[in-house]
Amino acid sequence: MKKSIKALSLACLCLAGTSCGMKNNADVDTCLRYQYPNILNISVTPEHNMRRVGCFTDAGSWMGFTIPEKDKWINGFCGPFSIDNRVWFAKSAVSVNIDGTEMTPDSISYFPGEIYMTANSENGSIEQRMVFVSANTALLNIKNNTGNKFSITGKGWNKDVTLKNSNNIITANHTNGETVQITLPQDFEVIDNDSNYTATSNSSNTYVAISFYASENELMSGEQKAIALLNNPEHAIKKNNDRWEGYLKKIIRNDMKHEYNRIAAKSVVTLISNWRTHREGLLHDGVIPSHAVNYFIGFWAWDSWRFSAALARFEPELAKNNIRAMFDYQLPDGMIIDCIYTDPKENNARDSKPPLVCWAVDEILEFNNDTAFVKEMYPQLLSYYKWWFNKRDHNKNGMCEFGCTDGTLEAAGWESGMDNAIRFDNCKMLKNADDAWSFDQESVDLNAYLAYECKLLKKFANITGYEFDGPDYSNQVADYFFNEDMGFFCDRKLPDGKFVQEAACEGYTPFWTEIASKEQMEKALVLLTDTAKFSTYIPFPTAAADNPKCSPNGYWRGPIWLDQTYQAIKGLRNYGYSELADKYTMQVFDRCEGLTGTSPIHENYGTHTGKCLQAPHFSWSASHLLMLYEDFGK
């Protein structure tokens, strides 16, 4: 019989020996992580060629696990999976058996920071739970309720993996240089050969460490840590629980309904599951856009600024390192490059990304009073700000353009962050210098961001004692880009200054940065609340819905990107339209597919349907859902 959620949660807690001090069912509600069972559906029994998958990962690890599908059951968590190289080491490196008896799945769950399963046989049940205790190591707890001897073994090892056993440490070496080690207690009797191992124990409650190493140096330093971990697993489990309890306590609001709290918890899980520790060319820890797809396994500039702004609320050290990671590659002229990877040869320095980093630093300052970090970053922040005016202001009028270093429209589109936006359909490139090109178009969002960065840099200068000596055109931006005939903000063409009359999400930005006048907001409300344009089923699409060029699946040409929806809603709130902002926030929470259920948070959503689009487990969307949640009702 399937256990109730309360009973399942209590079983997990008793197994963990956590700091929640659970003694009876009534106490379960005091431990936040267990109030959100099945936070995400990660049930996948993998095939070795399966490269796109969302998984359980934590603490910056480069490995992940899934829960097996019930109709393709393996009595063990699936994996590990190499997130960087997209390789499954095994279908299950540690699966549990009772004398060959078939195990039938019972309860499974993904709680924030923990996965759990139980399976039954004619002799009783086996419970398994897993948490990450470090970036290298996951700790598996096996509780044997059968009274019989049990064994563990690997299932479906990758053909490129070789195994060896030494003193109850199973080492699985992959030809790509990565290594998995399974560290077993000394009371296990291990039989092994070149292709697998079997380890047997009489214990009713035991722990196994599963560790992942990218290099020989990591492996050498990690072996003894894994052995020590098995000597005191309760301490590591308590640290994990305290960390996750701390995350959720900082985020969850008592005045919100459970479904919305669940969205907030899922957003935290999404951001932390995309945390990757420093490795090779990534010199600091940071957050990737999505661990579920291979093309997002790196750090991007404006993605990082958004992630850090959200992380400031509950994981400030990661927020700071996420920013440092991008500035590790700042060029001598001040440019922050587009994206960086473990292999620096893959880095993209053809373009930058929209300047939002001072906003992220300010969020870290406001939530943590971290003036030391502001002082650390200030010279680099100012250098990056000046770079825009030095390299992206073609006619030196103080209004900048998106561009690139190589003169291509492709890279200039990337620099805007809105790769294929309708507003860029007729753009051409203008040369500013040998290493600097601009669109023939001044962009309202870019200059609104720069005005906000300018304001914050002045604030930081007062805090740090540094001098702000950059250009300041902040008070000119709003009037320059406001199209009175349309009643909305638009880009302007060079050299004649004509408006690009394509009402789209870039027009939300001056309201978010609060440089627009009240009169401009009142005029823009006509478009913002028009159900044929921006007040759609999911509000505030990337292009006005009635634009003939708008496409429901057009990436930046129509779908919902939640950062832009957030900026529009926050803009309404900034100008006193809080009830309207709350109404639109509820439309996001209630209508985006799967947000309150078990589906992962996606890269974007269908404007008229709420359907999930593009990459799942997406940090960018999670960041802005947290901010919408935080603002709701205020």
Side-chain angles (χ1 to χ4, degrees), residues 136-137 164 169-174 177-183 211-227:
N136 290 113
T137 300
K164 67 176 182 179
I169 299 176
I170 312 299
T171 301
N173 292 306
H174 194 279
E178 294 173 324
T179 300
V180 167
Q181 279 195 333
I182 303 165
T183 305
S211 304
F212 182 85
Y213 304 111
S215 67
E216 187 68 23
N217 287 339
E218 280 188 11
L219 187 151
M220 291 175 63
S221 65
E223 274 190 6
Q224 293 305 312
K225 292 178 182 177
I227 294 170

Side-chain angles (χ1 to χ4, degrees), residues 434-446:
D434 288 343
D435 64 346
W437 295 73
S438 286
F439 274 143
D440 62 340
Q441 186 164 310
E442 297 162 329
S443 286
V444 58
D445 51 339
L446 171 58

